Amino acid sequence: MISYLSLSTMAKKICVLMFSVIMMLHLLVENHAIETEAPTPQPQQNGQFPTYGITQGSLQPQECGPRCTQRCSKTAFKKPCMFFCQKCCAKCLCVPPGTYGNKEFCPCYNNWKTKRGGPKCP
């Protein structure tokens, strides 16, 4: 004969199992929604800069160092510039052309902000 206590324990285990399955499905659907967002439209090439390496996702991770060296070449604060440029490049896989500005070529690089709302990427 099954006691009331064992039924209660079994019911709790089933509830925990169902909750876990629902949470996993929710995370799976949420993750899929993030991955299938429409890509951000890229700016038109204006002839002054080639688009390789400056549009989002167009670089390989190993290419970030040389691009950041060029991007930070005219700053007086080379170490922090290189640190944040490489961090941004690793996430966005692009570095805007030139030594300053032109962030519209890489929306990810342009839109990543600090906690205070300032630009994270040089």
Side-chain angles (χ1 to χ4, degrees), residues 53-61 63-65 67-68 71-72 79-96 103 106-114 118-122:
I54 61 172
T55 54
Q56 189 167 337
S58 62
L59 284 179
Q60 296 295 319
E63 297 173 296
C64 289
R67 295 286 179 145
C68 288
R71 178 81 175 166
C72 297
K79 268 190 168 181
C81 182
M82 287 294 291
F83 175 81
F84 286 108
C85 180
Q86 290 180 339
K87 188 173 188 155
C88 294
C89 182
K91 178 181 177 186
C92 303
L93 294 177
C94 63
V95 176
K103 292 183 180 181
C106 185
C108 168
Y109 198 95
N110 188 38
N111 298 332
W112 200 9
K113 304 292 183 198
T114 64
K120 187 159 195 108
C121 305

Side-chain angles (χ1 to χ4, degrees), residues 44-51 54 97-98 102 104-105:
Q44 297 296 318
Q45 186 175 357
N46 63 4
Q48 183 182 3
F49 302 112
T51 58
I54 61 172
N102 302 314
E104 66 276 2
F105 285 96

Side-chain angles (χ1 to χ4, degrees), residues 4-87:
Y4 172 75
L5 184 60
S6 66
L7 283 176
S8 175
T9 305
M10 188 182 304
K12 286 180 184 177
K13 288 180 181 180
I14 290 173
C15 285
V16 168
L17 179 65
M18 292 297 291
F19 179 74
S20 299
V21 169
I22 290 170
M23 289 304 294
M24 286 176 41
L25 287 173
H26 175 71
L27 289 173
L28 185 76
V29 168
E30 186 177 295
N31 190 28
H32 181 67
I34 291 170
E35 290 177 5
T36 58
E37 289 178 355
T40 306
Q42 298 298 324
Q44 297 296 318
Q45 186 175 357
N46 63 4
Q48 183 182 3
F49 302 112
T51 58
Y52 178 74
I54 61 172
T55 54
Q56 189 167 337
S58 62
L59 284 179
Q60 296 295 319
Q62 64 271 19
E63 297 173 296
C64 289
R67 295 286 179 145
C68 288
T69 299
Q70 194 278 327
R71 178 81 175 166
C72 297
S73 64
K74 292 188 178 178
T75 184
F77 307 101
K78 292 218 186 311
K79 268 190 168 181
C81 182
M82 287 294 291
F83 175 81
F84 286 108
C85 180
Q86 290 180 339
K87 188 173 188 155

